[in-house]
Amino acid sequence: MIFLIYMKSIKQEIIDSIIEQTGLPEEYVCACLEKSARPEWGDYSLACFRLSKTLGKSPDTIAKEIASRIKSTDLIEKVQPVTGYVNIFLSSTKLVEIALKEGIQIPDYGNGKRIVIDYSSPNIAKPFSIGHLRSTVIGNALSKIYTELGYKCIGINFLGDWGVQFGHILDGIKREDDSVLTVDMTKPSDQQPLITFVNKKTGRDLNKYYVISTSANDPAGREWAREVFGMLESGDDRIRCFWEIARKKSIEEFDHIYELLGINFHTDDNRYGGESEITPADINNAVAEMDKKGLTRISDGALIVDLERYGMPTCLLRKSDGATLYAARDVAAAIARYNTYKFSKMLYVVGADQKLHFRQVFKVLELMGYSWAKDCVHIDFGLVRFKSDQGREKMSTRRGTTILLEDVLNEAIKRSQALMKERVPEMADKVSPSEASEVARAVGIGAVIFNDLKNKRIKDVDFNWEQILTFDGETGPYLQYTHTRLDSLIRKYDTAKGLSRPEPDYKLLTASEEISIIKEMIQFPDIVKQSADEYEPSILSNYLLNLAGLFNRYYQIHRIISDDENLSSTRICLVARLKEVLKKGMGFLGITPLEKM
RNA sequence: GCCCCCGUAGCUCAAUUGGAUAGAGCAACGGAUUUCUAAUCCGUAGGUUGUGUGUUCGACUCACACCGGGGGUGCCA
């Protein structure tokens, strides 16, 4: 297994060398060895300040002593003590060889362990707003990253398909066209006009009825919607039939958006679920179990779990009218999922406004005695707000400040098409119309996705058309552009006439720009691991931007394909390896890498 | 009121988890194309890291207080 030596990270190899040669404790070396902040300080630096007190010597002296004990190897070229740091310089030729010979490999950390990821989760009937983009793209990225690290990911799109919002659709229909619904809902024969009516509607139409109902802001309408939902909950077949159609229509609508985003929720490992999956019996069993374990109490007629001693407000399970609440349903859902999947981890990719809710749910699961409660993680992210002239506000359907995700995606595609015409007019001759539209999609959608993934999750975002449609600088199109550049070089090299193609000679890569690329490339596995450990796709995003930047600078200065056939072959090898990394990384983020744009 | 999160260049964000001289992009200005795709690249300018105190060899990072913004907080999800 030759590749095993490459599987061990460079850093680990250095740590091992240092421990072996200096006898320093492993914890210390691991904690104090870091990547050097500047090239003139080498590749890795060991800070010696912490040893100063215990050894009673100055950091400077310690650094000198340690440095003198580390011998050079084929990897460690030079060791230099500087003001309390031991700076370690690695052999460029060795690094080039490591990066180019086998390519960059990502070790298997997961060993097939299961991770359930609850993400996207829009509500049936409610508009699919830009706010849902975050959960969708973050969840998708984490799923791909963990899969690459050897985990088995199960994505669940936990639809909000069970609640009064469904009754509001009917109320909206009634308000708009009451001929369809003047009927007595209790008579099956009168249902047919409604069914025919709804069958002709799209998911977006149904959203419209929801909005009509809620924006009417009529107490009677709300009451009626509640009644309808009550009938659904009590298992009324006729309402159930309508519910099924409405759900199907909504999913068709969602599918269209997910298709644009390149996500498919009709597979075994990535599927639609929903609150409707959790039966009243599931919830009642969970609540009964809490009762039995003495966790619950009645307070003002409501069933609660008192979490005061854990520094949290009480968790409400059941309303005084007997109806169960969100928290009870999520506890029941978590138990059902554990029983089905026996996950090693479950991630809830849900906005930061639900932080308390998940803390409560996880705490209740823990109190119920489920040891896996500690493996449930709320992947929270900042809210999207709408910035108007009056200032910031939460998006509101009623105020008309909701921005539909589909509109944003279509706008991005349009913009990408326009730019293509403007900046690459000859593209029309080179590719077919269908290819061109795929390019426009990948670039436009990639821009929107990347825009969302490039910042730390927790940051709130002000929705801004200009920003989301920017294609210059640190953006998705920048990565795309770099990727097509790499691909174009490879294509050109492969098809060049009269060129001998010798084996790459790694010693030829000596330019500082190409060494920088190599050094950055070999960080890829660590970056992917770190993104997973911190549930933070932005770490990968920023890394890819930096990597692309290094290449674009290099490209500007150096000729890749030249008369020097040995050098060309070696540089193309670098280009090909780099392309593999960029392509993989973009794929993890949910961006489709292009060959031409 | 209480709890949680955020505050870094005009704007949007980084900063190897407490390390050496705080870095990018956008916007502005100046430059690079008979050239492997200029959706690129180079340069100039831009900072008392919200404020204050503390912890220590060292603080954007940790603690406390305050200021500003956001979110949550017993019958929505």
Side-chain angles (χ1 to χ4, degrees):
Chain A
M1 291 286 232
I2 297 166
F3 66 87
L4 272 180
I5 46 171
Y6 299 107
M7 299 300 263
K8 186 157 128 188
S9 79
I10 306 279
K11 187 175 177 181
Q12 192 56 49
E13 210 160 307
I14 295 164
I15 289 173
D16 291 350
S17 291
I18 294 176
I19 294 168
E20 195 189 317
Q21 300 188 50
T22 62
L24 289 168
E26 185 174 359
E27 310 85 71
Y28 173 78
V29 179
C30 285
C32 289
L33 186 76
E34 65 207 19
K35 264 176 71 195
S36 306
R38 287 161 184 276
E40 58 267 34
W41 296 331
D43 297 295
Y44 286 90
S45 303
L46 186 72
C48 302
F49 305 98
R50 276 183 223 182
L51 286 174
S52 183
K53 228 171 232 171
T54 49
L55 294 179
K57 293 179 199 167
S58 80
D60 224 13
T61 320
I62 297 166
K64 279 179 186 141
E65 283 179 17
I66 292 176
S68 71
R69 267 184 277 170
I70 302 174
K71 303 272 176 303
S72 342
T73 62
D74 61 337
L75 179 64
I76 299 173
E77 191 172 83
K78 186 168 70 164
V79 181
Q80 214 173 49
V82 175
T83 62
Y85 289 90
V86 179
N87 290 337
I88 296 166
F89 294 76
L90 302 181
S91 151
S92 300
T93 43
K94 182 69 186 171
L95 294 179
V96 170
E97 191 190 315
I98 290 173
L100 299 193
K101 210 172 198 171
E102 303 282 339
I104 307 294
Q105 311 285 335
I106 293 182
D108 183 328
Y109 292 96
N111 205 6
K113 285 202 287 279
R114 289 180 178 167
I115 298 188
V116 171
I117 306 181
D118 177 317
Y119 72 114
S120 198
S121 309
N123 290 319
I124 294 283
K126 293 192 192 170
F128 200 119
S129 84
I130 182 76
H132 291 102
L133 179 66
R134 305 215 68 196
S135 173
T136 309
V137 297
I138 292 168
N140 185 239
L142 291 177
S143 170
K144 296 204 159 142
I145 288 170
Y146 271 106
T147 301
E148 181 69 20
L149 290 171
Y151 293 87
K152 162 95 176 153
C153 291
I154 297 115
I156 301 177
N157 189 338
F158 201 58
L159 299 172
D161 61 358
W162 203 248
V164 262
Q165 73 267 35
F166 165 77
H168 278 291
I169 302 178
L170 277 184
D171 182 56
I173 292 174
K174 194 171 73 170
R175 280 163 201 277
E176 183 82 346
D177 179 2
D178 62 359
S179 70
V180 187
L181 262 174
T182 46
V183 292
D184 178 357
M185 290 297 285
T186 56
K187 287 186 193 152
S189 58
D190 289 344
Q191 278 263 82
Q192 206 46 50
L194 176 63
I195 304 274
T196 339
F197 178 82
V198 175
N199 262 325
K200 278 187 271 182
K201 299 293 171 188
T202 66
R204 207 156 173 168
D205 293 331
L206 299 182
N207 295 345
K208 207 177 68 196
Y209 292 118
Y210 170 81
V211 174
I212 288 170
S213 173
T214 50
S215 50
N217 204 11
D218 173 7
R222 274 201 296 274
E223 189 45 44
W224 194 74
R226 247 194 298 273
E227 270 174 40
V228 170
F229 177 58
M231 289 169 77
L232 179 63
E233 275 216 298
S234 59
D236 186 294
D237 284 350
R238 296 155 303 224
I239 298 289
R240 177 92 194 178
C241 172
F242 173 52
W243 174 84
E244 271 164 13
I245 299 170
R247 187 178 191 273
K248 201 181 103 217
K249 295 280 179 179
S250 277
I251 287 181
E252 282 168 12
E253 193 74 25
F254 298 154
D255 279 344
H256 186 231
I257 294 170
Y258 291 130
E259 194 188 335
L260 284 174
L261 290 170
I263 303 175
N264 180 0
F265 282 105
H266 293 279
T267 70
D268 290 344
D269 299 336
N270 203 49
R271 60 171 182 86
Y272 283 109
E275 294 168 4
S276 59
E277 287 182 333
I278 311 304
T279 64
D282 291 332
I283 301 177
N284 288 334
N285 287 341
V287 171
E289 197 182 326
M290 291 180 232
D291 284 338
K292 214 164 98 192
K293 289 177 174 158
L295 301 175
T296 58
R297 205 181 77 198
I298 303 282
S299 166
D300 293 334
L303 188 70
I304 64 156
V305 179
D306 189 346
L307 296 174
E308 204 183 331
R309 82 182 89 159
Y310 306 104
M312 281 179 252
T314 38
C315 175
L316 267 82
L317 299 172
R318 207 195 283 280
K319 297 200 278 187
S320 41
D321 69 4
T324 51
L325 270 71
Y326 187 33
R329 195 175 320 178
D330 261 6
V331 168
I335 294 170
R337 284 182 193 172
Y338 186 78
N339 291 338
T340 310
Y341 297 111
K342 301 280 184 279
F343 52 76
S344 68
K345 209 174 252 192
M346 174 154 64
L347 311 181
Y348 291 90
V349 188
V350 181
D353 52 342
Q354 292 189 38
K355 233 173 159 168
L356 177 59
H357 166 75
F358 283 109
R359 275 181 65 209
Q360 291 180 320
V361 167
F362 299 162
K363 179 52 84 178
V364 169
L365 287 167
E366 183 195 321
L367 294 174
M368 289 172 82
Y370 292 115
S371 61
W372 48 264
K374 63 174 182 346
D375 304 318
C376 297
V377 189
H378 176 204
I379 311 301
D380 58 344
F381 53 84
L383 266 58
V384 182
R385 276 165 309 170
F386 183 75
K387 201 172 170 186
S388 66
D389 299 338
Q390 285 78 40
R392 297 184 178 87
E393 52 185 309
K394 264 182 105 169
M395 288 200 206
S396 148
T397 313
R398 264 169 57 194
R399 280 193 296 266
T401 51
T402 295
I403 292 167
L404 297 180
L405 178 55
E406 198 175 354
D407 293 347
V408 174
L409 298 181
N410 287 331
E411 206 53 47
I413 293 172
K414 254 167 68 187
R415 167 120 177 104
S416 143
Q417 265 161 345
L419 277 178
M420 217 155 64
K421 267 191 200 137
E422 179 194 319
R423 300 194 188 178
V424 199
E426 69 274 18
M427 186 60 89
D429 313 327
K430 285 191 197 164
V431 302
S432 69
S434 71
E435 266 181 284
S437 81
E438 171 53 19
V439 169
R441 187 202 71 88
V443 173
I445 303 294
V448 174
I449 293 174
F450 192 80
N451 182 256
D452 208 310
L453 292 178
K454 80 171 171 197
N455 297 334
K456 281 217 178 78
R457 280 175 5 234
I458 200 63
K459 298 262 181 187
D460 285 340
V461 290
D462 291 330
F463 181 80
N464 182 333
W465 277 109
E466 207 182 317
Q467 193 193 324
I468 211 161
L469 296 180
T470 295
F471 289 14
D472 297 325
E474 297 175 327
T475 62
Y478 181 82
L479 295 184
Q480 284 289 17
Y481 186 76
T482 310
H483 184 268
T484 58
R485 233 181 199 177
L486 292 164
D487 200 77
S488 161
L489 284 167
I490 295 167
R491 243 181 296 132
K492 186 172 163 142
Y493 182 75
D494 286 348
T495 56
K497 298 252 188 314
L499 207 70
S500 78
R501 292 178 176 76
E503 282 297 300
D505 179 358
Y506 304 131
K507 288 193 295 296
L508 296 176
L509 296 187
T510 53
S512 68
E513 292 81 10
E514 47 206 12
I515 299 303
S516 302
I517 295 172
I518 293 285
K519 287 181 176 175
E520 193 66 8
M521 260 169 75
I522 56 182
Q523 300 301 323
F524 187 58
D526 288 344
I527 292 290
V528 174
K529 177 73 165 41
Q530 198 191 345
S531 303
D533 289 346
E534 297 179 27
Y535 314 108
E536 195 62 271
S538 69
I539 293 172
L540 178 59
S541 308
N542 286 309
Y543 167 80
L544 294 176
L545 280 177
N546 185 37
L547 189 62
L550 288 174
F551 173 74
N552 284 323
R553 238 156 285 151
Y554 169 61
Y555 176 87
Q556 210 75 25
I557 301 171
H558 299 282
R559 181 99 204 155
I560 312 293
I561 303 169
S562 65
D563 297 340
D564 185 337
E565 293 178 342
N566 287 305
L567 185 59
S568 298
S569 154
T570 313
R571 284 184 168 171
I572 281 293
C573 178
L574 169 68
V575 165
R577 293 305 192 197
L578 177 60
K579 192 193 113 168
E580 285 169 12
V581 170
L582 196 58
K583 184 176 181 175
K584 258 192 179 173
M586 289 168 74
F588 296 165
L589 297 177
I591 300 172
T592 319
L594 291 168
E595 304 192 337
K596 292 176 192 170
M597 71 185 269

